[in-house]
Amino acid sequence: MLPYEHFGYIGPMTDSPNDVTPDRLCKADALPPSDQHAQQYAAVRNAHETELLEDYVELIADLLEHQGEARSTDIAARMGVSQATVSKTVTRLKSLGLVSSKPYRSLFLTEKGEAMAAMSHQRHAIVLQFLRALGVSDRTARIDAEGMEHHVSQETLEIMQRYTREQGHRDV
Amino acid sequence: MLPYEHFGYIGPMTDSPNDVTPDRLCKADALPPSDQHAQQYAAVRNAHETELLEDYVELIADLLEHQGEARSTDIAARMGVSQATVSKTVTRLKSLGLVSSKPYRSLFLTEKGEAMAAMSHQRHAIVLQFLRALGVSDRTARIDAEGMEHHVSQETLEIMQRYTREQGHRDV
DNA sequence: CCTACAAGTTAACCTTGGCTAAAATAGTGT
DNA sequence: ACACTATTTTAGCCAAGGTTAACTTGTAGG
């Protein structure tokens, strides 16, 4: 079950003699001050709260664009989750003012929801393209992007975007 | 509250004419087949399950190494969480055979726990160093790494590691 | 028209990860 | 040895994100 059990993992890194920036490495090894450390974890917890919501609005926007409507069956199928779960989450999305719909009918995004979807989509695209520009395979890039997108800061996003652009100029 | 509300976000990306690999972009815009899509989300949900556990064992290992012992107070302070929460999570870690301790005593890692910690630590280090090599500031890199580490596949990790190494040779 | 099936909702339950407040234990100082 | 303080645990609460099973509603077909 626990995925770390089958691991012949990564190999170098401890024993590679030409390791990276040795003094930085030392710093990385020291524990940061408690309060700063706590803020890091808080940031992650924070991201977790909106993650699912973002995934939903993003998916709803995609479905609306590509299929004309967003039914909960499709969402359930695409998320790999039961319809009951979708129903419950959608209720929450509605109460947050991100989604609107009449009962038993297709879903729509409010303005707020569209803003969130747009932002989410953009972030997703940047991360995905960046990974591909790095040389990651399509399939893996998709999976990783899905997980990473919610944890990439503005600053890093901009850097990724720049990298992708440069890379694009170089080898396309 | 919802963090996407204050956004003058990223700027280019839609309107940049020198965009990346146009045919790939098109593909990215189409929806993947449902079942594959579902697998992506499943992978993320899966990662979520072990995330917190990994953070705990990683932190415990760090504390053991740098302070000689791992008390729940320290964990609580570093995680930015109440001691009661730590206590409950530790119970779970014990039941999973990752951590051992006698009641009211300091914590230790089992072999399984150490394996997990080692793997987690390695992954964390790779991601952190990669971000810094990319040019992300230290503070941001730490935060992003904390969130990203659990969502980066083996394949991507190796690529990141390679990139960091090359980058290190070039500009150190 | 009305019936059958697909789609959506509701109810009841579970686990995780938070919290506070209160009780139990360990360690320390006099 | 005893009492005080700091640490740990327990109990009881909450919300989120899942599940199944049962119930409603919409929509086609005959």
Side-chain angles (χ1 to χ4, degrees), chain A residues 126-142:
Chain A
I126 292 171
V127 174
L128 182 58
Q129 286 165 33
F130 169 77
L131 287 173
R132 295 206 275 225
L134 250 194
V136 177
S137 74
D138 188 81
R139 185 156 168 61
T140 306
R142 279 172 188 272

Side-chain angles (χ1 to χ4, degrees), chain B residues 145-157:
Chain B
E146 192 63 63
M148 288 169 59
E149 65 169 314
H150 308 283
H151 301 279
V152 179
S153 64
Q154 168 73 31
E155 180 187 337
T156 304
L157 273 179

Side-chain angles (χ1 to χ4, degrees), chain B residues 11 31-32 35 86 93 102 110 128:
Chain B
L31 288 166
D35 53 331
V86 172
L93 289 170
K102 289 170 190 159
T110 62
L128 181 58

Side-chain angles (χ1 to χ4, degrees), chain B residues 49 52 80-82 84-85 88 92 103-105:
Chain B
E49 275 176 31
L52 193 73
V81 121
S82 78
T85 299
K88 211 166 38 158
R92 208 174 138 228
Y104 296 95
R105 277 309 165 27

Side-chain angles (χ1 to χ4, degrees), chain A residues 10 21 27 43 98 129-130 133 138 149 155 169:
Chain A
I10 216 138
T21 52
K27 277 198 164 177
L98 295 164
Q129 286 165 33
F130 169 77
D138 188 81
E149 63 169 314
E155 179 188 338
H169 280 302

Side-chain angles (χ1 to χ4, degrees), chain B residues 15-45:
Chain B
D15 42 26
S16 104
N18 46 6
D19 234 336
V20 224
T21 52
D23 62 335
R24 275 186 166 178
L25 242 183
C26 285
K27 277 198 164 178
D29 267 309
L31 288 166
S34 288
D35 53 331
Q36 187 190 320
H37 209 168
Q39 276 180 283
Q40 291 172 216
Y41 287 114
V44 176
R45 275 198 303 274

Side-chain angles (χ1 to χ4, degrees), chain A residues 52 80-82 84-85 88 92 104-105:
Chain A
L52 193 73
V81 119
S82 77
T85 299
K88 215 172 25 164
R92 208 175 138 228
Y104 296 95
R105 279 300 160 36

